[in-house]
Amino acid sequence: MRGYLASSIGATCAAVLTLPLAIPAAVAGTGVRHPSASAAVPGSTQSFPLVPFTRTAGAVVEAGLTPQAVRSFSLVGVVWDDPGTELHGHVEVRTRASGTHQWSEWQELETHHHGHGPDPGTAEGRSSRARGATAPLWVGDSDGVAVRVSAEGDDTGTTRSPVLPNGLRVELVDPGVDSKPGAPGPTAHAAAPEPSDRSAPGTAAAAGSNALGRDAGRMSPGDGAAPSPSHEALEPQGAKDSGGPQGTVKEPPDTAEETAAPAQGTANPADTTGPAKETPGKEPEAVPQQLPEHSGTHTAPRPKIVTRSGWGADETLREAGFVYTDSVKVAFVHHTASGNNYTCAEAPSVIRSIYRYHVVSNGWRDIGYNFLVDKCGTIYEGRAGGIDKPVLGAHTLGFNSDSTGIAVIGTYSGNTKPSAQTLDGVGALSAWKLGLYGMDPRATTYLVSGGGNLYPKGVKAQLNVLSGHRDGYATDCPGAQLYGKLSTIRSTAARLQGR
């Protein structure tokens, strides 16, 4: 960012961060909320456009958002208009802990996130609501944000130019509060919670107001182009009077129909008597499939799984109905790349945030992963449709069909190693899920690619039954530390299947 810190934005941010930040009352965070035992606080998404700082030959190569006071949020990501465009560059954010003057250090978001998402040939992948996006980052309860983005320079031997995607926006997600009694804790596997990785807030000087005359991130009604109906941006109540940054609060578009979600406290919708049907050119109907006849061979016990109801999923966010694939032949292991600064007690809030980011900000029909596992080994239901069903996810571009996606909450591309509880949780989940479909976690199988950067569309790829995301798509995911433990997970899963 490196060179650009000394250029356009570097001096600007340095100056701004030395000034006192007056927090508008309508948008100031109030710290951690303490609702009554029966009160639930719904989540929300604030969206602010990033403004150009530097252009080269008319193309934006540096953009950002000067420090802003905003409503409370806990997860941040950056999105852009075209989901088929990758952001070749660096995205960094700085956040302020709610109710304080303490700003974090600059933290980098994972930009090579294109391989997470729906397959291009599906209705979800073709949706006009879909957006390109970075991985989200969990930052904890915050009420201030600054963003800087820079494009990478030309790569030798390539035709790629240093240009940022159009329509860059920062998305600030508040997970809300789930007041349901008996909220899931870190005891599903009787494992003691690990110490939080959260360090003390940064000691940088308090950020200043937009004192240099920039209106970065302030969007008043009528400014810029109107949002498309499929990515509707709604103005929050009182925004006109707040005096704060006029970003937008985003809500998913209403759907024309609603279907009943699985019953409270259960993970499966009602079974049906027949397989899903498929019409040429259309998605399979949202009908659960019967389990294969050989599912009784080498099965494993079902581990404890926190249902969507258990982690507080707002079922009105996702699209109605469910979409299924034919089978589950491969389990792809991911990391969320959302950072490790969360406690196990916060994991449901992290999942609610990722869910909202995937649906409202990325434009997907539901959370992309089929399952998630936290640092204490607790397993959570992801995409709706039934934990034992072959639910079509949006996790491994090109190989979402006939697979399931298991995401470990955290970032494992650096020095952080996955805990033994996490590895046990992924192993137990893989043993059970793959066993339902007669798959040996130590074996290999074949999937037909739906299109990606490792295997072109239509190629029959040989993959491990338990694979890392990088086996199907050229990406760092699930991080070197987690990827290096896949053999351990395979052995655990095979043992639990009695192999």
Side-chain angles (χ1 to χ4, degrees):
M1 280 288 87
R2 286 104 168 130
Y4 113 80
L5 288 179
S7 60
S8 60
I9 188 172
T12 300
C13 285
V16 171
L17 288 173
T18 63
L19 301 173
L21 179 59
I23 309 171
V27 298
T30 57
V32 178
R33 288 179 294 269
H34 298 284
S36 66
S38 60
V41 179
S44 63
T45 300
Q46 301 170 76
S47 182
F48 294 89
L50 302 187
V51 298
F53 286 129
T54 304
R55 296 179 183 268
T56 300
V60 178
V61 295
E62 295 172 358
L65 181 71
T66 55
Q68 302 291 326
V70 295
R71 294 177 179 86
S72 181
F73 70 98
S74 295
L75 180 137
V76 57
V78 169
V79 301
W80 53 92
D81 290 343
D82 184 1
T85 299
E86 296 188 57
L87 194 161
H88 297 288
H90 302 279
V91 178
E92 290 183 304
V93 298
R94 198 173 191 184
T95 58
R96 184 183 60 188
S98 286
T100 75
H101 296 290
Q102 301 299 318
W103 285 78
S104 71
E105 300 299 324
W106 287 104
Q107 301 180 80
E108 189 153 7
L109 305 187
E110 173 58 63
T111 58
H112 302 294
H113 202 59
H114 181 66
H116 297 77
D119 290 341
T122 63
E124 186 176 11
R126 298 189 303 267
S127 171
S128 61
R129 294 184 56 237
R131 298 291 182 269
T134 67
L137 180 68
W138 175 262
V139 294
D141 195 27
S142 304
D143 62 10
V145 65
V147 185
R148 61 191 190 190
V149 182
S150 66
E152 289 179 344
D154 293 320
D155 284 355
T156 302
T158 73
T159 58
R160 191 173 73 206
S161 59
V163 176
L164 294 176
N166 293 325
L168 286 167
R169 304 183 71 89
V170 60
E171 307 283 290
L172 309 177
V173 181
D174 176 6
V177 175
D178 178 31
S179 64
K180 197 177 287 84
T187 58
H189 288 272
E194 295 183 2
S196 170
D197 294 324
R198 177 172 293 134
S199 57
T203 57
S209 63
N210 205 345
L212 299 184
R214 293 186 188 272
D215 285 328
R218 299 179 185 271
M219 190 169 109
S220 302
D223 287 354
S228 65
S230 61
H231 200 56
E232 182 96 17
L234 304 178
E235 182 183 1
Q237 291 184 353
K240 293 181 180 179
D241 306 323
S242 68
Q246 298 299 312
T248 59
V249 173
K250 302 172 71 173
E251 297 296 343
D254 294 333
T255 53
E257 60 178 17
E258 293 291 338
T259 60
Q264 292 280 330
T266 64
N268 306 324
D271 289 336
T272 61
T273 57
K277 297 178 181 179
E278 190 168 349
T279 304
K282 294 185 178 181
E283 294 278 341
E285 292 181 3
V287 180
Q289 301 232 11
Q290 289 180 316
L291 296 180
E293 294 180 359
H294 57 267
S295 62
T297 304
H298 290 296
T299 57
R302 188 178 83 177
K304 293 180 180 179
I305 299 174
V306 178
T307 64
R308 291 171 63 91
S309 173
W311 54 260
D314 179 355
E315 299 297 352
T316 65
L317 282 182
R318 65 175 178 85
E319 287 189 19
F322 315 105
V323 180
Y324 298 87
T325 182
D326 291 331
S327 184
V328 175
K329 298 171 66 178
V330 173
F332 284 104
V333 178
H334 303 257
H335 68 165
T336 59
S338 53
N340 302 307
N341 292 338
Y342 73 95
T343 66
C344 294
E346 290 175 319
S349 295
V350 178
I351 296 171
R352 289 198 302 274
S353 297
I354 294 173
Y355 170 42
R356 176 172 277 275
Y357 184 69
H358 283 181
V359 175
V360 178
S361 302
N362 294 14
W364 302 349
R365 61 174 292 114
D366 195 349
I367 191 170
Y369 307 115
N370 297 101
F371 299 93
L372 300 97
V373 181
D374 70 19
K375 62 173 69 175
C376 289
T378 305
I379 303 168
Y380 301 85
E381 178 186 15
R383 181 163 288 209
I387 58 173
D388 59 347
K389 302 296 190 292
V391 178
L392 182 68
H395 50 82
T396 306
L397 189 72
F399 291 108
N400 290 307
S401 293
D402 294 339
S403 72
T404 192
I406 302 170
V408 176
I409 303 172
T411 301
Y412 295 96
S413 53
N415 296 323
T416 301
K417 297 180 179 180
S419 68
Q421 295 96 324
T422 295
L423 299 179
D424 287 345
V426 177
L429 175 60
S430 302
W432 169 73
K433 184 70 175 185
L434 292 171
L436 293 175
Y437 296 87
M439 301 305 296
D440 182 347
R442 303 167 303 179
T444 61
T445 189
Y446 290 90
L447 292 181
V448 177
S449 173
N453 62 5
L454 272 184
Y455 299 97
K457 184 176 181 179
V459 169
K460 193 174 184 180
Q462 185 177 17
L463 298 165
N464 290 312
V465 169
L466 198 152
S467 285
H469 184 186
R470 65 174 65 178
D471 294 323
Y473 193 92
T475 176
D476 176 67
C477 184
Q481 298 289 355
L482 181 54
Y483 188 78
K485 294 295 184 180
L486 292 189
S487 60
T488 300
I489 296 172
R490 292 186 190 104
S491 297
T492 298
R495 174 176 54 80
L496 291 173
Q497 286 186 353
R499 296 182 186 273

